[in-house]
Amino acid sequence: MDNREAENSESCRIFRRLQDVVEVIKERNSILAADSILNEVARKYDQYPDLDSMKAAIIRLLDSGEHSGVIESLQYLGWRFRWQWLREEFESRRLEWSRSGDLRKVRAYELILEAFDGDWEDRDCFPSLSL
C-alpha cells in the first residue's frame, strides 16, 4: 500500500467515525451519547497526527449535506484543535452561503464558528472537553 492509499484509508476511517457521531446524535437526540466517539477521534489524532487525512474527512463531512450531528462534530473539533485552516474553511463557506441567501446554512456555520471562541458556552455539553 503506498502513502496515498494509506492516507485515503485513514481519511475513510476518520470519516466513518464522524458518521457514527452523526448517527448517534440523530438516533438518541443526544450530544452526550456521541462525546466518547468524538474523544476517540481526537485522541487518535493526538497519537498519530495525520492532518491531511483529518482535513479530507472533515471536508467530506461538510460536503455530505447532513446537518444534524455534523454541526456538533465540527464544533467539538473546532474547540478541541482550533485549527486556523478549519476556521478559514468555515468562514469561507459561511460567506458563500450568505451571498446565496441560504440563512439556515449561514446560521449553521455561525454556530460552528462560535466553538473557536475561548468562552464557547456549549463545550459543557461535551464532558471530554472539560478534562
Side-chain angles (χ1 to χ4, degrees):
M1 181 184 307
D2 66 18
N3 284 345
R4 184 176 212 145
E5 288 172 343
E7 180 181 302
N8 259 346
S9 67
E10 181 62 11
S11 174
C12 287
R13 187 196 66 74
I14 295 167
F15 178 71
R16 281 192 304 272
R17 293 307 284 157
L18 293 174
Q19 279 184 311
D20 290 343
V21 170
V22 170
E23 289 305 312
V24 165
I25 290 173
K26 280 165 78 175
E27 288 172 9
R28 297 189 190 171
N29 199 27
S30 169
I31 296 170
L32 184 60
D35 182 67
S36 62
I37 301 169
L38 287 164
N39 189 37
E40 172 197 320
V41 170
R43 281 194 337 255
K44 179 92 171 170
Y45 178 81
D46 286 339
Q47 291 173 347
Y48 307 102
D50 181 353
L51 189 56
D52 290 337
S53 291
M54 183 65 88
K55 277 184 180 181
I58 290 171
I59 297 301
R60 188 172 169 194
L61 185 66
L62 278 170
D63 292 340
S64 71
E66 292 283 338
H67 292 284
S68 179
V70 171
I71 292 171
E72 294 84 353
S73 298
L74 297 175
Q75 286 176 313
Y76 182 98
L77 295 172
W79 170 264
R80 177 77 165 67
F81 294 108
R82 315 260 178 108
W83 289 310
Q84 186 61 31
W85 70 267
L86 189 57
R87 182 181 198 127
E88 290 169 1
E89 181 69 30
F90 297 149
E91 288 171 344
S92 173
R93 287 175 183 245
R94 181 187 60 174
L95 182 60
E96 181 183 318
W97 289 114
S98 180
R99 288 182 182 144
S100 72
D102 190 333
L103 298 181
R104 181 173 169 235
K105 288 188 179 178
V106 169
R107 183 61 188 137
Y109 283 105
E110 288 173 348
L111 288 170
I112 295 167
L113 285 164
E114 287 175 6
F116 285 84
D117 294 334
D119 61 348
W120 178 50
E121 293 176 10
D122 290 347
R123 76 182 162 147
D124 293 338
C125 296
F126 303 94
S128 66
L129 292 178
S130 299
L131 301 177

